[in-house]
């Protein structure tokens, strides 16, 4: 019988990596709200580490514009900037269109099955208005292309942008009872008929339509 390859043992994370990963998640999922003060002392106590790796992690978050550092004063979670969201979504749309192009020669029957399975789970979660599950399956679908593209910088750039996008969506989706998502049917259909330009356009539209929904939710919140 075919023996699966032994998984590479995951390297233990450094204190800085653990703090960065967890605090980033708190900011993205809304546990830490925009403008909230961050105490490196409290965080160091929470993780049972010194303040040095905490400060290093916070600096990484600052580099990604997720926190604002006011030297000698305080550190706060960066405010939401919905004006910047427009350019963030548009850049993300182009990066994922590129991922489709790079992944295209590597598509297989198994890949299409994986895409359809992810989209089905995504659509089922959307029907139940389960925001968390829908977001997870949406990310799983898009990650298929990033994985096949196999470009380190493309993955890194999209991951940084994704943290800002997820943060915006988590905050606005939690404030609305009328959340809807954009399916991936057009992307899959274009790829099945081997129309790469149409597939790239469909991927761009997928992100732009999401932006339009977020803007609509923002208008609802401001009323």
């Amino acid at each position: 019988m075919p023996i699966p390859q032994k998984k590479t043992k995951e390297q233990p994370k450094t204190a800085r990596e653990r703090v960065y990963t967890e605090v980033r998640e708190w900011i993205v999922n809304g546990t830490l709200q925009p403008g909230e003060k961050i105490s490196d002392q409290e965080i160091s106590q929470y993780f049972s580490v010194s303040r040095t790796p905490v400060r290093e992690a916070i600096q990484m978050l600052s580099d990604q514009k997720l926190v604002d550092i006011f030297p000698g004063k305080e550190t706060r979670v960066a405010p939401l900037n919905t004006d910047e969201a427009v350019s963030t979504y548009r850049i993300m749309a182009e990066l994922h269109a590129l991922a489709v192009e790079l992944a295209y020669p590597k598509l297989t029957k198994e890949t299409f099955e994986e895409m359809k399975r992810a989209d089905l789970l995504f659509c089922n979660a959307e029907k139940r208005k389960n925001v968390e599950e829908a977001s997870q399956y949406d990310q799983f679908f898009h990650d298929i292309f990033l994985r096949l593209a196999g470009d380190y910088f493309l993955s890194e750039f999209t991951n940084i942008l994704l943290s800002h996008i997820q943060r915006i969506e988590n905050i606005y989706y939690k404030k609305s009872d009328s959340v809807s998502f954009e399916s991936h049917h057009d992307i899959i259909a274009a790829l099945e008929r081997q129309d790469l330009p149409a597939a790239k356009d469909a991927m761009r539209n997928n992100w732009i339509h999401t932006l339009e929904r977020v803007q609509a939710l923002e208008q609802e919140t401001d009323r």
Side-chain angles (χ1 to χ4, degrees):
M1 71 176 189
I3 299 176
Q5 291 184 348
K6 187 180 292 185
K7 291 184 178 179
T8 304
K9 189 174 181 181
E10 186 176 346
Q11 294 295 318
K13 291 182 177 179
T14 65
R16 179 188 64 185
E17 290 170 335
R18 286 193 293 115
V19 174
Y20 163 77
T21 301
E22 191 73 15
V23 176
R24 176 182 177 275
E25 180 60 25
W26 293 344
I27 294 172
V28 169
N29 66 24
T31 300
L32 292 176
Q33 288 289 304
E36 191 164 345
K37 187 175 180 180
I38 296 177
S39 168
D40 55 357
Q41 183 176 355
E42 289 181 11
I43 293 175
S44 64
Q45 291 174 350
Y46 179 89
F47 288 97
S48 300
V49 298
S50 71
R51 294 171 76 171
T52 298
V54 172
R55 287 168 178 163
E56 291 174 347
I58 289 175
Q59 184 59 55
M60 292 170 65
L61 294 167
S62 174
D63 292 342
Q64 296 182 10
K65 295 190 175 182
L66 290 172
V67 304
D68 290 330
I69 299 175
F70 302 94
K73 295 181 179 180
E74 60 186 12
T75 298
R76 292 185 178 274
V77 178
L80 283 181
N81 190 328
T82 50
D83 292 333
E84 285 186 359
V86 175
S87 59
T88 300
Y89 273 94
R90 291 190 178 281
I91 293 170
M92 195 67 142
E94 292 302 324
L95 289 175
H96 277 270
L98 176 59
V100 170
E101 180 179 337
L102 295 177
Y104 183 71
K106 305 174 186 177
L107 296 179
T108 64
K109 178 182 177 182
E110 289 72 24
T111 306
F112 279 103
E113 291 174 354
E114 187 180 13
M115 284 190 288
K116 290 178 180 178
R117 184 166 60 251
D119 191 48
L120 177 62
L121 292 169
F122 169 81
C123 291
N124 288 339
E126 191 272 341
K127 290 176 183 176
R128 300 195 309 273
K129 299 299 179 183
N130 189 320
V131 175
E132 186 175 352
E133 272 191 29
S135 296
Q136 288 174 351
Y137 292 127
D138 180 57
Q139 185 176 344
F140 181 77
F141 177 86
H142 290 287
D143 281 348
I144 294 172
F145 297 97
L146 292 172
R147 186 186 73 234
L148 289 177
D151 185 281
Y152 170 79
F153 292 107
L154 180 61
S155 295
E156 283 296 299
F157 293 155
T158 54
N159 189 47
I160 292 172
L161 291 175
L162 183 62
S163 63
H164 290 273
I165 285 174
Q166 287 180 327
R167 184 176 176 228
I168 291 170
E169 292 178 1
N170 284 335
I171 289 175
Y172 281 109
Y173 284 176
K174 287 176 182 177
K175 295 179 180 178
S176 175
D177 296 325
S178 59
V179 176
S180 60
F181 301 83
E182 185 70 20
S183 77
H184 311 102
H185 299 335
D186 291 344
I187 301 170
I188 297 173
L191 290 172
E192 284 187 319
R193 63 176 185 268
Q194 300 183 351
D195 189 341
L196 178 57
K200 292 173 66 177
D201 284 342
M203 177 62 81
R204 291 188 186 98
N205 290 336
N206 183 265
W207 286 99
I208 299 306
H209 287 160
T210 304
L211 168 62
E212 291 170 352
R213 287 196 171 93
V214 169
Q215 289 174 321
L217 290 174
E218 181 188 7
Q219 292 176 358
E220 286 181 16
T221 304
D222 292 342
R223 286 173 189 165

